Amino acid sequence: MAKSQKVTLKGTEHTPMPGARAIGPTSPHQLIEISVILKHRQPLNLSQHRGQTLSHSDFAKTYGADPAHVDQIKQFARENNLVVLTRGDEVLRRTVTLAGTAADMEKAFNVELVGFEHPDGTYRGHTGPIQIPEAYSSIIQGVFGLDNRPVAHPHIRMRNTNRTFGSRASTTTYTPLQVASLYDFPRDADGEGQTIGIIELGGGYRPADLQQYFQNLNLRNPAVRAVLVDQANNRPSTPNSADAEVMLDIEVAGSVANGASMAVYFTSNTARGFQDALSTAVHDQIHAPSVLSISWGNPEATWTQQSMECFDQVAQEAALLGITIIAASGDQGSTDGMAGNQNHVDFPASCPHVLGVGGTRLVSANNTIQTETVWNDGPTGGASGGGYSNVFQRPEWQASVVTKPSRGVPDTSGNADPDTGYTILVDGEHAVIGGTSAVAPLWAALVARCNQVLNTRLGYLNPALYAMNQNSGFRDITQGNNGAFPATPGWDPCTGLGTPAGNRLLQALSTATGKTVSANVGKLAASAQTVETRAGRPHSAA
């Protein structure tokens, strides 16, 4: 293809991270890998396939990248002294991986790469937008990897054992199965035949810890596989690292859906890593996850338009393939931790093709819920994220409950207060952990159970959840607030539609999808009951 004038790739504008300081240009010899995302062969159309689940083969033929466009990117690489790293899934994932020196990358994309020092660590970045030859602008959707700043935080909260006099103390600790029992999750299932995918932007797990944890709960050790994306690693270190997030996710999902397999997609905490991990998981035909759990995120204002648009496109691909994506709504209340008095919501929970989950404080007695309120431990203790998107418009399925023209977050919720937290084993140490991070794998396990019982893939759940009678599937949370927003009857921007009433939700989903309970599931009822009995009751933890 002939060379042409360069044009700006929309939505790629970058500014330095707040508090970052430039420390000098990137070495021209530094080797860099990037991901070039191609446009779909034709625009995505979820309504055209409503009620259908596409195979990966059909998806590739209908919506994947045009093979001719892949060849054009290879030509672009040759023109700019870049190397194509062939993965074999370029058409399906619409992603071509290129490698080259910083000097060649700067020339190819008309950027100046600079090193920055930041409290979260050093990173390579650029200011302003990425530019590409105009001749390629009709086929390129995004370019990721030139800037490798950290983009997300794990939404996890450790229990504070050093409370001041007069502060609210906690007396309850739960195992994940106890929370599932309180929420009346379907007992005739354990997720067998399902794979739960978990996206992790850091940390790692130790198989010995997992074996010990599930053994302590009298559960079998579920199959857990690490899938390494963009040269990432399963690299456990210490309990106060991202390991706590990884272990919380696996142990919650693996307890509640003990018959399911787990595929943990490790990647770098960068825009490229997040994008590649999601597309890898969605198009993984080996592990074939039916539900994905994401407990990492950041305020919408910290993401580029390119990142959010490309992520949302892959989330729509997941919907077409029958995959449910669930994301934590954040742990810093209605401001999402941003400076000033403005309200913000967390991405990717704000993505309209993702099920965003908020947090509650769950208090029980005699295996029955006594009270459940919005989780809000104040500015330092954490609170359920929620509010209204500044990026995404209100989806059609929220029109009956959300009065503002913006996407409302979250959609649902679950126990997240660390003072009514989950017992977890991390790097050999026991801990009590909360945060909306815990709610994403809890809901993922619920979806896995429902998928098994209904012998289907529920996939894109949001429209069905909002179409049903709220009392059919949820416990409405009407007390508390997350800062700017109070809980109210019906949907609210603290806890969404409420917390799950598992069996009622299953019946409502059965009606909505026309699927009946699978005949081969009933035999699990007795064993599931035994497992929950062995797991015990909530116990005191002063």
Side-chain angles (χ1 to χ4, degrees):
M1 180 176 290
K3 293 184 179 180
S4 62
Q5 179 182 352
K6 289 191 175 181
V7 296
T8 295
L9 185 58
K10 187 183 75 170
T12 59
E13 293 79 8
H14 281 78
T15 59
M17 294 177 67
R21 180 179 66 88
I23 55 177
T26 299
S27 167
H29 306 294
Q30 183 179 130
L31 293 177
I32 296 173
E33 281 190 21
I34 66 169
S35 296
V36 178
I37 313 300
L38 301 178
K39 294 183 177 180
H40 291 100
R41 193 174 304 198
Q42 62 177 320
L44 293 170
N45 189 338
L46 268 62
S47 60
Q48 179 181 334
H49 303 282
R50 189 166 293 169
Q52 294 179 302
T53 297
L54 296 183
S55 67
H56 287 278
S57 175
D58 287 341
F59 173 86
K61 294 174 184 176
T62 307
Y63 297 111
D66 188 325
H69 294 169
V70 174
D71 291 338
Q72 287 175 239
I73 296 303
K74 293 178 179 179
Q75 174 63 29
F76 171 80
R78 288 191 291 270
E79 292 170 357
N80 290 277
N81 199 34
L82 303 177
V83 176
V84 178
L85 302 180
T86 302
R87 308 292 192 195
D89 57 2
E90 286 80 6
V91 169
L92 184 60
R93 288 182 53 226
R94 301 180 296 113
T95 302
V96 181
T97 304
L98 304 181
T101 65
D104 287 330
M105 291 289 182
E106 289 178 323
K107 182 179 178 182
F109 296 101
N110 201 28
V111 295
E112 181 181 355
L113 300 177
V114 176
F116 289 91
E117 193 174 65
H118 186 268
D120 289 343
T122 59
Y123 71 91
R124 179 186 66 245
H126 62 87
T127 58
I130 293 170
Q131 293 192 318
I132 57 175
E134 187 175 21
Y136 294 97
S137 62
S138 63
I139 68 172
I140 294 178
Q141 182 70 41
V143 174
F144 293 90
L146 296 171
D147 189 302
N148 68 351
R149 71 185 66 194
V151 294
H153 290 90
H155 293 321
I156 190 170
R157 291 281 172 154
M158 310 292 286
R159 172 177 289 180
N160 180 9
T161 57
N162 298 314
R163 289 191 169 275
T164 58
F165 177 76
S167 64
R168 184 181 67 190
S170 171
T171 58
T172 302
T173 294
Y174 298 107
T175 68
L177 264 180
Q178 288 163 351
V179 175
S181 180
L182 289 169
Y183 286 146
D184 194 29
F185 280 19
R187 292 189 176 185
D188 293 356
D190 61 0
E192 185 174 358
Q194 305 294 312
T195 295
I196 297 174
I198 302 173
I199 305 292
E200 300 292 2
L201 308 187
Y205 67 84
R206 303 177 194 274
D209 277 353
L210 296 179
Q211 183 175 1
Q212 183 64 53
Y213 181 80
F214 293 114
Q215 180 179 323
N216 289 347
L217 292 178
N218 292 314
L219 298 173
R220 59 182 170 182
N221 196 26
V224 180
R225 299 288 182 267
V227 183
L228 308 181
V229 180
D230 294 345
Q231 302 179 39
N233 289 289
N234 170 24
R235 187 172 293 165
S237 55
T238 61
N240 61 355
S241 69
D243 292 2
E245 178 62 71
V246 176
M247 298 300 279
L248 175 73
D249 292 339
I250 298 174
E251 290 172 358
V252 169
S255 298
V256 179
N258 191 236
S261 299
M262 311 284 148
V264 187
Y265 298 86
F266 287 102
T267 191
S268 61
N269 187 3
T270 65
R272 179 189 179 222
F274 210 175
Q275 175 72 21
D276 284 354
L278 182 70
S279 66
T280 296
V282 166
H283 294 291
D284 183 351
Q285 298 179 70
I286 297 175
H287 303 94
S290 59
V291 56
L292 298 178
S293 175
I294 303 174
S295 294
W296 298 70
N298 243 6
E300 287 179 332
T302 66
W303 298 85
T304 63
Q305 180 184 347
Q306 171 188 243
S307 287
M308 290 184 282
E309 286 184 354
C310 288
F311 188 102
D312 182 52
Q313 287 186 351
V314 180
Q316 292 180 62
E317 294 174 6
L320 291 170
L321 294 164
I323 301 169
T324 308
I325 303 178
I326 302 167
S329 71
D331 298 345
Q332 300 189 78
S334 56
T335 67
D336 207 25
M338 295 289 284
N341 296 320
Q342 299 298 311
N343 295 317
H344 297 269
V345 294
D346 208 79
F347 181 84
S350 67
C351 173
H353 297 94
V354 164
L355 185 72
V357 291
T360 65
R361 172 180 171 83
L362 179 69
V363 178
S364 68
N366 299 319
N367 293 325
T368 303
I369 296 175
Q370 299 298 299
T371 63
E372 191 167 19
T373 58
V374 179
W375 168 43
N376 189 342
D377 286 338
T380 59
S384 175
Y388 300 92
S389 173
N390 291 318
V391 176
F392 299 102
Q393 294 183 338
R394 180 185 63 201
E396 179 183 352
W397 37 263
Q398 276 195 328
S400 63
V401 296
V402 177
T403 58
K404 295 191 176 184
S406 301
R407 156 79 158 126
V409 182
D411 300 300
T412 62
S413 52
N415 181 48
D417 191 333
D419 289 333
T420 58
Y422 301 74
T423 55
I424 299 298
L425 182 63
V426 185
D427 296 320
E429 295 186 12
H430 294 277
V432 179
I433 302 178
T436 54
S437 276
V439 188
L442 181 74
W443 264 91
L446 172 58
V447 171
R449 284 197 189 191
C450 290
N451 282 346
Q452 179 193 9
V453 173
L454 298 176
N455 194 28
T456 191
R457 282 180 164 223
L458 289 169
Y460 184 31
L461 268 176
N462 301 33
L465 296 183
Y466 282 87
M468 68 177 59
N469 184 311
Q470 184 180 6
N471 294 328
S472 297
F474 299 93
R475 298 185 68 259
D476 195 9
I477 308 302
T478 59
Q479 296 182 341
N481 65 77
N482 68 348
F485 304 110
T488 61
W491 180 91
D492 57 61
C494 302
T495 58
L497 296 167
T499 55
N503 272 300
R504 295 207 313 267
L505 179 63
L506 173 65
Q507 292 305 316
L509 289 171
S510 174
T511 300
T513 61
K515 302 288 185 178
T516 56
V517 174
S518 177
N520 65 352
V521 173
K523 63 183 181 181
L524 294 171
S527 61
Q529 176 68 53
T530 300
V531 165
E532 294 195 3
T533 301
R534 286 179 177 175
R537 299 183 177 184
H539 64 273
S540 295

